[in-house]
Amino acid sequence: MNKRIYMVCHGNICRSPLAKFLLIKKLAEKKVVGIEVDSAGTSGAHAGQQPDARTMANALTHGLDTSSHRAKQFKSTDFAKFDRIYVMDSANYSDIMLLAMNEEDRSKVELFLEAAHPGSKDSVPDPWYGDEKGFEKVYNIIDKACGIIADKLKKGELP
Ligand code: 4NP
């Protein structure tokens, strides 16, 4: 059965859609099969929307079209649908943990950057209130981490 990975941030319009698109791209480049990737936000404030215009514009400068994405809110029933839930920051981690019903749910949740860089405990910065430079920085952080995660998935190194 396919492994199902869920990328989660606050609004599901900046970081987690990018993480979804970039991991899918890296998996295809590295010819890793059998992995599904989706994304959601802890907030439903932007549900139904495309990524933030700044995220879409920045991604396009890297040749990545994210315009097909539509934001949605994480639901507690999603725990059963995904094998691994990668959260972008520590606030997302707390919010998702509050929705977990049991130890199995909790065991699926991990900081995205922790998966790529074990022991880091780092969050992907929230670019929402910043300038264009912040979006470029976030792109590079997520791009690098997705490359590492795709390599680890290929080698079967991740739960
Ligand atoms: P994201 O960024 O969590 O990476 O999608 C944000 C998007 C919207 C808001 C905050 C962060 N907001 O407060 O609406």
Side-chain angles (χ1 to χ4, degrees):
M1 199 170 76
N2 283 357
K3 180 183 282 226
R4 293 159 300 179
I5 292 176
Y6 217 15
M7 300 294 192
V8 174
C9 63
H10 178 79
N12 192 217
I13 54 171
C14 299
R15 294 164 293 176
S16 62
L18 203 49
K20 172 188 74 175
F21 277 96
L22 282 172
L23 184 57
I24 289 170
K25 181 167 172 258
K26 306 282 181 194
L27 291 169
E29 284 169 2
K30 296 171 193 292
K31 303 195 179 356
V32 187
V33 294
I35 296 175
E36 295 168 33
V37 191
D38 199 0
S39 72
T42 56
S43 158
H46 298 276
Q49 295 178 7
Q50 284 186 305
D52 183 280
R54 298 163 295 177
T55 294
M56 285 198 287
N58 176 267
L60 271 185
T61 69
H62 295 275
L64 185 70
D65 180 2
T66 60
S67 63
S68 62
H69 171 76
R70 295 295 179 275
K72 61 179 178 293
Q73 185 172 20
F74 184 97
K75 293 188 287 206
S76 54
T77 47
D78 289 338
F79 278 108
K81 297 182 186 161
F82 292 88
D83 301 297
R84 209 70 198 145
I85 297 165
Y86 290 130
V87 292
M88 295 295 130
D89 67 30
S90 51
N92 311 148
Y93 186 88
S94 310
D95 290 342
I96 293 297
M97 282 305 214
L98 282 174
L99 295 173
M101 249 99 67
N102 52 46
E103 194 46 45
E104 191 189 352
D105 289 353
R106 282 186 282 276
S107 71
K108 295 180 177 182
V109 188
E110 185 179 12
L111 277 172
F112 169 73
L113 290 180
E114 181 73 23
H117 312 289
S120 82
K121 303 272 186 288
D122 285 339
S123 290
V124 179
D126 183 348
W128 174 257
Y129 298 102
D131 59 12
E132 310 298 329
K133 275 194 205 140
F135 284 83
E136 176 66 9
K137 183 178 166 195
V138 161
Y139 184 96
N140 288 319
I141 291 170
I142 293 177
D143 185 53
K144 184 175 173 202
C146 282
I148 295 169
I149 289 171
D151 281 335
K152 291 188 182 206
L153 286 166
K154 186 167 186 168
K155 292 188 217 153
E157 289 177 0
L158 292 177

